[in-house]
Amino acid sequence: MTKFLVLLMLFSLSFAAQAKRFTNQYCEFELPDGWICDLEGSEYVCQSTNDERRKEAIIILAAKIRGEQDDMEQYQGYLKGTKTYVLPGGKKQISEPKYVKVQNINGQPWVDAMHLASEVPGFYTRYLATVKEDLGVAVTFSVAKPYYDAYAGVFDRIIASLRVFRQKQVDLSKYRKDARGEGVLDNVTFVDEEMPTHDLAGKKGKGGGAGGADDLMLYGLLGLGAVIFIIMKKKKKGAP
């Protein structure tokens, strides 16, 4: 437990020192070092550049012109229910809603919800959804269940830096007539055969390998050991 707490502290310090800002035309937030966001179709997909780490967690950002299903009440109702989808191979997956609430982030109200197995089996997904003038905006944070504790604080800091803006002046009385159909939450579903799946006991299933919590702990301890080694070496040389 002590080693794991040391790892989390190092992970947090690394994020604070090396975070970078992602910005597009309607949203911005801080990303940890080594993460990038790419535009894939109409959504931004953010992952680590490390091939192993990228299979542990993913962030997806989507926005659309508001339609009939894009308001805070309907987002809450949608996220209170289970999500059902069919996996490759025909197996049906039903999610487990954990909570739904509304919170204020940097002056903007967001619907904040958590599901288990709503996007990828064995992954927790945290949903942030809001409306800003004529836009509906949704961000999802998905992490494999065995690595949830290692990423939860990182996601919290990203969410705390989340800002949404809209510079265009629009006539809000028209948006419901101009944009019907699916809500923005329908645009952030991400089921990828390359992402490793996990059963509810946390065992890895088909979908590719990934470094686990033991790897993260090892990296943290190696980093801490390197720092201690440098300090001791300097002391032997009489360096301040």
Side-chain angles (χ1 to χ4, degrees), residues 106-121:
N106 296 314
Q108 177 72 24
W110 291 80
V111 176
D112 181 358
M114 177 81 77
H115 280 236
L116 176 61
S118 59
E119 305 295 339
V120 183

Side-chain angles (χ1 to χ4, degrees), residues 15-112:
F15 179 89
Q18 302 178 5
K20 59 183 179 181
R21 183 173 297 275
F22 165 78
T23 304
N24 65 11
Q25 65 271 32
Y26 55 84
C27 191
E28 67 178 18
F29 50 85
E30 300 289 344
L31 276 177
D33 185 59
W35 278 58
I36 60 172
C37 297
D38 293 317
L39 184 62
E40 297 188 9
S42 59
E43 295 82 46
Y44 284 92
V45 177
C46 307
Q47 288 176 287
S48 171
T49 55
N50 182 291
D51 288 341
E52 294 301 308
R53 300 281 84 79
R54 69 186 285 110
K55 297 175 184 178
E56 297 172 356
I58 186 171
I59 301 171
I60 299 178
L61 171 65
K64 64 180 287 288
I65 298 299
R66 286 170 68 181
E68 292 181 331
Q69 299 183 45
D70 291 295
D71 61 53
M72 300 292 283
E73 291 76 16
Q74 291 192 75
Y75 290 163
Q76 291 181 71
Y78 177 87
L79 291 169
K80 284 178 180 178
T82 59
K83 293 187 67 177
T84 304
Y85 57 93
V86 178
L87 297 168
K91 181 180 179 181
K92 182 181 289 187
Q93 179 70 54
I94 302 175
S95 73
E96 298 178 30
K98 298 300 182 181
Y99 69 80
V100 180
K101 61 184 179 181
V102 176
Q103 68 162 318
N104 187 293
I105 304 172
N106 296 314
Q108 177 72 24
W110 291 80
V111 176
D112 181 358

